[in-house]
Amino acid sequence: MNEVLRVALVDDQALMRAGFRALLDAEDGIEVVGEAADGEQGVALVRDRVPDVALVDVQMPVMSGIEATRRIAADPALAAVRVVILTNYGLDEYVFEALRAGASGFLLKDTEPADLLQAIEVVARGEALLSPSVTRTLIGEFVSRPPDRATAPGLDRLTRREREVTALAARGLSNEEIAGHMVISPLTAKTHISRAMTKLGARDRAQLVVFAYESGLVEARQRENGP
């Protein structure tokens, strides 16, 4: 990761882009490398500038933020780019689809400035912008969704331990909480998570969460019972 975090802004609302730019430009260690007003322009911008993080509105003209995310995630040359979806509505169908498409997380547009800055740093480090509390909220979105094992192959590639840590991560536990639950070190928990991500071709922890639910590794009754 670069010493200066490079951020691209993709949103069809000029006022929203201006607000984000003003906030980010005022921060040492963050550089806004460009703006785009729709998904198609956003993909072109990301391919041209290869930022560390792209803040992408979920609903835009010409090409949606979801499709833009999918194209960015599918481009090997952009493997290091992390997409954060911006939404007015919180957890909705669009956010779910964006995470499935390859987004590393999401933010409400009215998030506090300090939270936005922290989110950019978290995602740029390669972590998912899915804190335990947010993940538990996301879990509720999956309650009514039956497992679709056909869309989430690869469960058989994971060891028993890797399945266990994946399930715990999907239930909202941090590495430290996973370590306590399994009586292992946080570093070992992180290693298991990393290996599971590699085997499944997951870009980050967010993709691991999506996989856990789509594969049926974590089921509705587990969500109701909690960790």
Side-chain angles (χ1 to χ4, degrees):
M1 186 179 69
N2 298 328
E3 289 186 10
V4 175
L5 295 180
R6 306 173 72 251
V7 179
L9 303 176
V10 186
D11 194 306
D12 62 321
Q13 296 180 332
L15 187 60
M16 186 62 64
R17 296 198 310 273
F20 279 128
R21 177 181 275 277
L23 172 64
L24 298 178
D25 280 345
E27 285 296 311
D28 293 334
I30 295 180
E31 175 189 3
V32 176
V33 297
E35 300 180 22
D38 61 55
E40 187 172 79
Q41 293 179 11
V43 173
L45 171 65
V46 170
R47 285 175 175 163
D48 180 54
R49 305 307 303 272
V50 194
D52 297 300
V53 177
L55 300 180
V56 179
D57 186 18
V58 71
Q59 290 182 289
M60 292 181 290
V62 184
M63 180 188 295
S64 71
I66 294 171
E67 180 59 27
T69 298
R70 185 175 292 113
R71 296 193 184 193
I72 292 169
D75 190 337
L78 305 177
V81 178
R82 295 290 176 259
V83 176
V84 174
I85 290 293
L86 301 172
T87 176
N88 288 316
Y89 309 109
L91 289 162
D92 55 21
E93 181 68 21
Y94 297 112
V95 170
F96 170 75
E97 293 298 334
L99 290 172
R100 177 186 278 160
S104 295
F106 57 91
L107 282 172
L108 291 176
K109 287 189 175 182
D110 62 356
T111 191
E112 292 294 325
D115 292 335
L116 171 65
L117 297 173
Q118 181 182 27
I120 290 173
E121 293 176 358
V122 166
V123 171
R125 290 199 300 265
E127 301 175 23
L129 187 56
L130 292 172
S131 67
S133 61
V134 172
T135 304
R136 291 186 183 109
T137 306
L138 178 63
I139 284 168
E141 179 71 12
F142 288 88
V143 170
S144 61
R145 301 174 185 276
D148 185 359
R149 292 167 178 80
T151 64
L155 190 59
D156 57 346
R157 300 175 196 164
L158 302 184
T159 66
R160 180 182 60 81
R161 281 296 219 188
E162 288 163 355
R163 291 189 190 196
E164 187 174 357
V165 297
T166 298
L168 292 173
R171 288 162 59 191
L173 276 67
S174 65
N175 285 346
E176 289 72 20
E177 291 171 324
I178 291 172
H181 185 92
M182 298 178 64
V183 195
I184 57 178
S185 71
L187 179 58
T188 299
K190 182 178 180 180
T191 298
H192 284 313
I193 290 287
S194 297
R195 287 175 178 169
M197 286 170 51
T198 298
K199 289 181 179 181
L200 297 172
R203 284 168 63 89
D204 55 33
R205 199 182 186 98
Q207 299 304 295
L208 207 59
V209 171
V210 172
F211 168 84
Y213 287 95
E214 290 195 325
S215 68
L217 181 61
V218 177
E219 298 178 357
R221 61 178 179 274
Q222 291 175 292
R223 297 169 220 158
E224 294 164 0
N225 293 338

